[in-house]
Amino acid sequence: MLDLSQIIKAYDVRGVVPDQFNEPVARAIGTAFVEMLRESGDEPDQIVIAHDMRESGPGLAAAFARGVNAAGTGVINIGLASTDQLYYASGSLNLPGAMFTASHNPAQYNGIKLCRAGARPVGQDSGLAVVRQRAQQLLGDLNAEADGPSRVVERDLLGAYAEHLRSLVDLTGIRPLKVIVDAGNGMGGYTVPAVLGDQVLAALPLTIVPLYFELDGSFPNHEANPLDPKNLEDLQRAVREQGADIGLAFDGDADRCFVVDEKGDAVSPSAITALVAARELAKFPGSTIIHNLITSAAVPEIITERGGKPVRSRVGHSFIKAEMAETNAVFGGEHSAHYYFRDFWFADTGMLAAMHVLAALGGQDRPLSEFAAEYERYTASGEINSTVTDAAARTAEVRAAFPDARVDDLDGLTFQFDDGAWFNLRASNTEPLLRLNVEAPDAGRMASLRDEVLAIVRG
């Protein structure tokens, strides 16, 4: 019998199809999800489900729906969708949701992102552990409940999702922009035309140039993971060759958006976080903004300078969403290019972040590289992963090596130095890895600090 602890992790379900994740597993998780909601006093009449462009998605979603029906609950199936479109459905319908996607993972993977009504997150400490335990029992029970009557309603919410996003950002008064969008054969190829398609563009000074918009879960051109620099190369080349003002790259389920300037250089997600935070603070003065602890130190500095209240969070969508809800934050951003909005049920949406960037750039008479430089103040290493056999021991060695640093343990260990340099070292939740992020006032200091820490971590 499959061990579900291998695929149900801290934030979602993710595994290789069919060896780790298959239709019987999806069915068991569907039933377990309803039972978890019911036990927590959040019993729904229906659950909304969707899937991305991966070939295994429709079958897995249908099996999950059978499990939901077996538990006595109905299903609204919105079909093909981006993850933020599923969050829109969950928020607007006030229903729990299940999105079948493996995000940026390779083609052989699939998974599920679960949420409660109103797009509230379901993570390890907010129900996912209970789902895993119950689904494991169901898989081992030969007398598990049979399929009940099918209670599945099909709905198309793509147009309503697009209209909602357009209501949140006004693009009508911007200067003309040429925008190249790399969807990576993922769901951006489905949602970008809906949000910024031909009928919409007739009223907007935008020229959208599509790159890899054909939905194809085998990812024939490159993996839909813009966090890996090699997957941005086609977009960067196209921006330079075609003289575009900006390039946008979406991951497989289009909940993350990466930005490339007119020179083809990547704009850091920290700079985008600061830029969008500044726009939201202009609209909602004095508001709280959430940033995770490995975004640039420039982010809380700029939030404070613009009159906002920066709040530092652990890494991970379930943590940042919970922090946003608790503080009623207007916006939140992560180093991984997840951007969260109060106007979007505190959920993350790459499309809305992209629209904010287009609106900001379109209100400037200068190129993106010059504009974005205002939000880039320090030199960062990016995330560096090291495979280790004993993460705790290596972390202890690093701590001992920097006795004069200020250290906190909000998420892993963060070391801060008097010259403004800092680094964070934290263990992966799912792999035998230590993840290192370093930032410093200049490239030389960053490189020397990075190399010093890596020498200890890697022995």
Side-chain angles (χ1 to χ4, degrees):
M1 185 172 64
L2 293 173
D3 178 6
L4 297 190
S5 67
Q6 299 301 307
I7 66 167
I8 303 180
K9 300 291 188 177
Y11 312 123
D12 60 13
V13 180
R14 199 78 59 91
V16 174
V17 177
D19 296 346
Q20 295 178 304
F21 185 36
N22 52 39
E23 293 185 14
V25 171
R27 185 194 181 285
I29 293 173
T31 297
F33 184 43
V34 173
E35 293 181 355
M36 181 277 290
L37 293 170
R38 189 173 292 151
E39 290 170 4
S40 64
D42 186 16
E43 183 170 358
D45 293 326
Q46 294 173 301
I47 289 175
V48 59
I49 66 172
H51 62 84
D52 69 12
M53 67 290 144
R54 292 168 189 267
E55 185 177 351
S56 60
L60 291 168
F64 180 92
R66 291 195 298 273
V68 171
N69 289 165
T73 299
V75 167
I76 295 177
N77 181 13
I78 66 170
L80 270 174
S82 61
T83 290
D84 65 328
Q85 189 184 336
L86 183 279
Y87 291 150
Y88 166 79
S90 173
S92 63
L93 300 175
N94 198 32
L95 292 174
M99 176 68 199
F100 283 78
T101 180
S103 185
H104 59 279
N105 283 122
Q108 67 269 31
Y109 285 82
N110 213 325
I112 319 174
K113 294 180 178 179
L114 298 170
C115 62
R116 294 176 185 265
R120 290 177 292 142
V122 174
Q124 182 74 15
D125 299 326
S126 53
L128 197 54
V130 176
V131 170
R132 182 184 67 227
Q133 183 180 21
R134 178 58 180 143
Q136 191 77 67
Q137 292 171 346
L138 289 167
L139 283 175
D141 184 0
L142 297 178
N143 298 312
E145 296 176 58
D147 288 347
S150 178
R151 294 173 54 196
V152 179
V153 177
E154 310 285 339
R155 287 192 64 175
D156 180 1
L157 293 179
L158 180 60
Y161 154 82
E163 185 177 352
H164 179 68
L165 291 184
R166 290 194 297 267
S167 75
L168 298 177
V169 177
D170 182 9
L171 294 171
T172 56
I174 63 173
R175 67 180 170 92
L177 295 175
K178 185 174 184 178
V179 185
I180 298 182
V181 180
D182 184 348
N185 299 109
M187 291 311 300
Y190 184 70
T191 56
V192 169
V195 179
L196 299 174
D198 292 340
Q199 291 182 336
V200 179
L201 290 180
L204 297 178
L206 293 174
T207 300
I208 304 292
V209 180
L211 195 61
Y212 310 141
F213 269 37
E214 305 80 9
L215 300 184
D216 189 339
S218 70
F219 307 116
N221 296 289
H222 60 71
E223 289 185 356
N225 179 17
L227 197 58
D228 187 336
K230 71 175 183 290
N231 295 321
L232 288 176
E233 291 174 358
D234 289 355
L235 176 63
Q236 293 170 311
R237 185 182 310 110
V239 167
R240 289 190 292 262
E241 291 178 352
Q242 299 186 44
D245 296 288
I246 184 174
L248 303 174
F250 292 92
D251 65 346
D253 60 335
D255 62 348
R256 290 190 294 162
C257 181
F258 292 73
V259 179
V260 169
D261 68 22
E262 82 287 351
K263 297 179 180 179
D265 295 328
V267 180
S268 80
S270 285
I272 300 301
T273 295
L275 185 159
V276 177
R279 285 179 52 81
E280 291 288 68
L281 287 168
K283 187 176 179 181
F284 303 102
S287 294
T288 297
I289 307 286
I290 310 295
H291 65 98
N292 76 23
L293 79 172
I294 53 178
T295 53
S296 172
V299 173
E301 289 175 1
I302 291 168
I303 292 168
T304 301
E305 291 165 7
R306 301 299 176 98
K309 302 172 185 175
V311 173
R312 186 167 169 261
S313 166
R314 292 180 63 183
V315 174
H317 77 95
S318 60
F319 301 116
I320 204 163
K321 288 174 182 174
E323 195 77 57
M324 286 189 69
E326 183 176 333
T327 61
N328 197 34
V330 68
F331 173 68
E334 294 200 88
H335 72 294
S336 55
H338 282 284
Y339 305 108
Y340 308 80
F341 295 84
R342 185 172 66 196
D343 286 342
F344 201 76
W345 299 277
F346 300 114
D348 42 327
T349 163
M351 188 69 70
L352 185 54
M355 294 170 72
H356 272 283
V357 175
L358 292 175
L361 177 60
Q364 300 282 321
D365 59 359
R366 50 185 174 156
L368 180 56
S369 59
E370 184 178 333
F371 178 41
E374 295 180 6
Y375 303 95
E376 301 262 19
R377 297 180 176 180
Y378 304 101
T379 301
S381 65
E383 192 154 274
I384 304 168
N385 292 323
S386 301
T387 301
V388 295
T389 55
D390 190 337
R394 293 295 187 188
T395 301
E397 290 179 40
V398 172
R399 183 163 198 161
F402 297 95
D404 297 329
R406 300 183 300 280
V407 183
D408 74 66
D409 59 358
L410 176 62
D411 192 352
L413 294 178
T414 301
F415 297 72
Q416 296 179 317
F417 301 89
D418 290 340
D419 64 354
W422 63 268
F423 71 87
N424 173 269
L425 187 68
R426 74 190 201 286
S428 166
N429 286 311
T430 58
E431 302 170 271
L433 299 175
L434 279 175
R435 306 188 190 280
L436 174 66
N437 284 267
V438 184
E439 185 176 77
D442 60 74
R445 170 66 166 137
M446 185 280 294
S448 65
L449 183 56
R450 174 199 65 201
D451 293 347
E452 187 176 0
V453 178
L454 285 177
I456 301 169
V457 168
R458 297 177 176 177

